[in-house]
Structure formats: C-alpha cells, structure tokens
C-alpha cells in the first residue's frame, strides 16, 4: 500500500504536500528577505536603495559616530548587569515554586508571571511615572556612568527575571530529590548540598535563562524608551531616533552588528538547552 | 514538596528577591498609574499645576477616552490585531503541521528557521520592512524593472497588518508546534480509515484536539498586537495610529499623564478580557494539553 504512493500522497504525509512546501518557502522568503536586504545594503556605498558598490564605510562611520557607539556600549552594559541579577532572582523564584507548598501558591505563580502578559507599553509608562514621581529619574542624571543607567537596569530586571524563572523551573521538574537526600545522608549540609548537587543540575537552564535575559534586555525598546532619562540613550532608542529622521545606511550597519550579537547568543542558548543533554 | 513552615528561613530567602522586585518595580508603579487614571491635574494659585494631582477625583479621563476620536483608535487596534492574528493562524497552522510531520532529523532545523527572526530586535525588523517597501525600496525597484509602479505601500492599514504578521508569526508557530507534536497520530489514522475526508478529519479531530495550542497562540499574538505602537508608528504613519501611539503621545508630547494613564488602563482591561476568554475556552476544551 505504502509503496504504491508517491511522496506527498500518503494520508499523513503533510510535510510533502506541494502546496505546504510552497507555503513554507514563501513564508521563509517573507521572513528573511527584509533582513537579508537590510544586511546587504549595510555594505552599499549610498543610501538610495539601489546597489552602487561594496564598502565597509557605513561600519566605519557608525563606529566613529559617538552617539551610536556609546548607545551600543550602554545597551551591552545594561544587558550584562540586568542578566546577572535576573538570573539569580529568576532561579530563586523557580526554586521557591518548585520546592515549597505554601498558601495562595497559584496566585503567586500568576503574580510573578504578570510582566509576561501585561502590554509592554503599560509597564513602560508606569515605570516612567514611578521614576519621575520618586525623583529617581532626575536624581540619576548626574551620576557617573554606569550608575546613570540604574533605572533602566531596574526595569530590565523586572521584566526579564520571570522568563528566567520559567526556564529554570521547567528544568527543576526533572530533578530526582533522592539525590538531595543522599547528599544529606552522607553528611553534607543544606548549603553544601545546594552548591554541589542542585546548582550543577540547574546549570544548563541557568545558562539558557541568562542568555534569554541577555537577549530580552538587548532587544527591549518600549520599556527602555520610557524609563530612560535624557542622558541615557540605548542602542534601540538611538536607532528609533535615526529611523524617524530617515533612512541612513549607518542604521543598517549598526543593526547588522546587533543582529550578529543576538543571534550568536540565541544559538548558544539553544545549544545549551538542546537535545542530547542527559537529565541525570 | 516541602511545606514552607518547615523551612521558614530557606523559604523567605528564596522568595524575597523576586517578590520585592515585583512589588517595587511592577505592582507599585502599576497601582500608581491606576490611581492616576482617576485623577486630574490640580489647580494651584489659579494655574494648572504640572506636578500636583487631585487623586481619585474624577472619571473624566475615562469619559474623554470614550470620546469618538479615541474609540476609533481602540477599535482600530482591536480589528487590526484580530486580522493580524487570523492571518498568523492561517499561515502558522500548515507550517507547524509541516514541521511536525517532517522526517525527525529535519524538524529542529525547520522549526529554528521559523522562529529565529523572533530573536532579532523588533525595531530592526520593522525598519527592515520599512526600507524594502518604501517608494524607493527594493520591492518598488523590482516592480519598476517590470514597468510597474512605484506604488505607495506604506502609511496604510495593510502595511500595519503586514508588519504585525511579520513580527509576531513566530509567537503563533511555537505553541502550535508543541501541541501538534503531542497529538496522537492514531486518532487521525482512525478517522481517515473510517472514511472521513482530510477536511472532515481536520475539522472534527485535529482542530479540536489542538485547540489549547491554538488558543495560546492567539493570546500570544493578539495581546502584543493590541498594545503595539512601533509597527503602527513606522509602517502606518499618523493616519494609522492606534491606542498605543495615543498613549505614547499623551506621555511624551501632550503631557497629559492622567489621560494617558486612563488610556493605558483601557488597554490593560482589554488584555484582561482577552485572557479571561482564553481561560474560559481552555477550560471547556478537551485538547491534548487538557
């Protein structure tokens, strides 16, 4: 029966139906053509949208454009610091939810997931009001770098640690608690058990969660736009300003750099989380 | 699982940082915004103050938000989001099916290809669309070679919907993939064996069983679309503003915070209604996740 059918004709052989293959190809073109074009034109000699020759000049100009350069440095600094704290807070939240029974647990679970579902613009606006009202917005303006970025860092930790918690918690579900008991039976203290048994088990999820927090922070535009004061511009906010003024191939060059950084971090995260990792 | 009372110190140490952070940088700011949405600017010495407010003094902001101009923006946000969500679903479902029914060694790569753009900055992706569809962009140039155009492809609602589909398609693919993957194929085989057509099998077996994934996908796409302001700002232009742009404008330009707060909370209410509907539908369905 099977042998008589050509590929794509089997009743469940959906992946080989010609129309599905055509749709798949069309969607991939739709998804990647704009990005490919953006990267290609970052090497164009002028900004007309017509190919006039290959150059690295846009990259050189973006590198020497102090505003773009420092915006990129700001973004990376914010991402590194907020990733550090988001990973710790996220892991602790995941451990709380995994290990303990406590009253109103379901309410608490939804409570820590709120930043995932509330529209970004509302969270951005509320933080903007909060920072101006408490005086933090104007207070940090004259602080030395990178302390003048502290509001943005606070905001980024708030929206990224719930994502880390989700990632870490789904790994903890596979943990065999008898290992913990064995460690304690053999004389290890609570803290020694945590550091030598539980942390190594969580490690892939910690790395993946950290990389997720890093990309979320580097990518965020809406919340950063509202929680940043005048002096602290990040890379997406700077690019937004440039886009509003018109097309410029420096934007393409700078965007290409950011795309490479985020995709590298993402692929690394996927490798960490990917199949082939034994769950002990 | 341990009871928190047996390990109070460990419990509080682990639970505190996240809880405190959520309270200070999420709940308090949102609560303040909520209060502000019922407030008006105070009048001090006969002049409208820029910093003082009469708290809980008025419903006027919501009444003003119900005015025709703003209802149009909210309505536009709702229907462009609904349309974009529907297109995402129509595209993503066959794609997710294709990935799930592809040979096992191809699956991770195919899935990665569909969701990788999600990791690229939203602003950069929107700008990429903007640059190829502008009047001197690659698309118009290609059409120009064929003797067509140039067409004005930006600054209209179609551009906004296309931009939303472009940006949020991966959010639809992912939940659909993880639901369809768990689907027991013998149900489909049984249905086909018993004489149902492919269409009947899809409508009566596949679709109902994958409903939880469909609902999650709809929520994941619809909610961020509803609050979007970047896509409508860059691709749609001022004539295609929706509520997100109006909120941004009240805060960054018009400087009427209480009114902007009311608009923000209308968005939060709309989101809550969407989540409530999801919960109601998900509770009734008997899909593979339930």
């Amino acid at each position: 029966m099977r042998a008589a059918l050509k590929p794509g004709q089997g009743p469940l052989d959906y992946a080989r139906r010609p129309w599905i293959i055509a749709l798949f190809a069309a969607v991939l073109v739709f998804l990647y053509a704009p990005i490919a074009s953006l990267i290609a034109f970052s090497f164009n000699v002028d900004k007309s949208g017509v190919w006039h020759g290959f150059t690295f000049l846009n990259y050189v100009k973006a590198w020497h454009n102090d505003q773009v350069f420092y915006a990129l440095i700001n973004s990376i600094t914010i991402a590194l610091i907020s990733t550090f704290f988001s990973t710790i807070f996220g892991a602790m939240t995941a451990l709380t939810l995994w290990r303990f029974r406590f009253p109103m647990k379901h309410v608490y679970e939804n409570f820590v997931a709120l930043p995932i579902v509330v529209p970004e613009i509302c969270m951005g606006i509320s933080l903007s009001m909060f920072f101006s009202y408490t005086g933090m917005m104007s207070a940090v303006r004259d602080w030395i770098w990178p302390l003048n970025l502290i509001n943005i860092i606070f905001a980024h930790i708030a929206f990224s640690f719930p994502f880390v918690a989700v990632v870490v918690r789904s790994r903890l579900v596979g943990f065999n608690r008898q290992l913990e008991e064995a460690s304690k039976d053999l004389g290890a203290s609570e803290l020694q058990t945590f550091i030598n048994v539980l942390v190594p088990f969580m490690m892939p999820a910690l790395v993946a969660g950290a990389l997720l927090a890093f990309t979320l922070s580097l990518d965020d535009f809406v919340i950063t736009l509202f929680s940043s004061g005048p002096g602290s511009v990040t890379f997406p906010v700077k690019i937004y300003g440039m886009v509003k003024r018109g097309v410029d191939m420096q934007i393409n060059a700078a965007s290409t750099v950011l795309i490479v950084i985020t995709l590298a971090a993402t692929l690394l995260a996927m490798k960490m989380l990917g199949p082939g990792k034994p769950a002990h | 699982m341990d009871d928190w009372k047996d390990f109070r110190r460990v419990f509080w140490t682990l639970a505190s940082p996240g809880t405190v952070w959520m309270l200070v940088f999420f709940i308090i700011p949102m609560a303040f915004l909520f209060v502000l949405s019922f407030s008006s600017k105070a009048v001090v010495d006969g002049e409208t103050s820029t910093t003082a407010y009469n708290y809980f003094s008025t419903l006027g902001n919501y009444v003003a938000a119900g005015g025709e101009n703003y209802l149009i923006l909210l309505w536009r946000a709702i229907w462009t989001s609904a349309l974009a969500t529907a297109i995402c679903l129509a595209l993503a479902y066959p794609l997710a099916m294709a990935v799930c029914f592809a040979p096992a060694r191809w699956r991770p790569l195919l899935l990665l290809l569909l969701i990788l753009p999600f990791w690229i900055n939203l602003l950069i992706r929107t700008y990429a669309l903007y640059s190829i569809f502008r009047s001197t962009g690659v698309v118009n140039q290609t059409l120009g070679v064929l003797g067509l155009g140039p067409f004005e492809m930006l600054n209209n609602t179609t551009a906004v919907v296309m931009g939303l589909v472009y940006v949020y398609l991966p959010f639809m693919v992912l939940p659909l993939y993880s639901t369809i993957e768990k689907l027991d194929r013998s149900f489909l085989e049984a249905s086909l064996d018993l004489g149902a057509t492919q269409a009947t099998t899809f409508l009566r077996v596949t679709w109902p069983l994958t409903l939880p994934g469909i609902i999650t996908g709809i929520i994941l796409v619809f909610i961020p679309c509803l609050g979007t302001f970047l896509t409508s700002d860059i691709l749609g232009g001022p004539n295609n503003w929706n509520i997100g742009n109006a909120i941004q404008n009240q805060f960054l330009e018009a400087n009427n915070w209480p009114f902007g707060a009311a608009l923000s909370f209308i968005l939060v209410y709309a989101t809550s209604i969407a989540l409530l509907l999801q919960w109601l539908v998900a509770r009734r369905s008997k899909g593979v996740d339930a």
Side-chain angles (χ1 to χ4, degrees), chain B residues 16-34:
Chain B
S16 304
T19 312
V20 169
W21 212 266
M22 278 295 293
L23 283 176
V24 175
F25 294 107
F26 188 81
I27 299 298
I28 293 177
M30 287 300 278
F32 183 58
L33 195 67
F34 182 72

Side-chain angles (χ1 to χ4, degrees), chain B residues 101-124:
Chain B
F101 285 86
R105 66 199 152 92
W106 287 99
R107 261 176 246 161
L109 179 68
L110 291 175
L111 186 65
L112 183 65
L113 279 175
L114 288 177
I115 61 171
L116 198 58
F118 159 69
W119 298 97
I120 297 172
N121 193 303
L122 177 76
L123 178 63
I124 293 178

Side-chain angles (χ1 to χ4, degrees), chain A residues 12-16 24, chain B residues 95-108 110 185:
Chain A
L12 289 182
D13 215 354
Y14 299 116
R16 290 198 192 148
F24 209 101
Chain B
L95 297 178
M97 285 284 264
V99 176
C100 291
F101 285 86
R105 66 199 152 92
W106 287 99
R107 261 176 246 161
L110 291 175
R185 286 177 202 191

Side-chain angles (χ1 to χ4, degrees), chain A residues 11-12 14 30-32 37 49 99-101 103 108 111 125 129 133 154 177 212 219 236 240 244 252 270, chain B residues 1-2 4 7 13 19 21-22 55 98 101 112-113 119 123 127 132 141 166 198 233 244 251 257 271:
Chain A
L12 289 182
Y14 299 116
F30 174 59
L31 286 179
Y32 287 98
S37 143
R99 176 162 170 188
F100 293 106
R101 249 190 328 265
Y108 186 77
F111 166 73
I125 295 282
M129 317 247 12
Y133 207 72
F154 285 157
R177 288 206 73 182
L212 178 61
D219 269 3
Y240 178 70
K244 293 297 274 183
N252 294 43
M270 290 190 169
Chain B
M1 223 177 268
D2 298 326
W4 73 282
F7 299 89
T13 317
T19 312
W21 212 266
M22 278 295 293
Y55 296 106
F101 285 86
L112 183 65
L113 279 175
W119 298 97
L123 178 63
Y127 169 70
I132 68 165
Q141 284 179 38
Y166 182 69
Q198 288 281 357
D233 187 29
F251 278 89
W257 290 6
T271 309

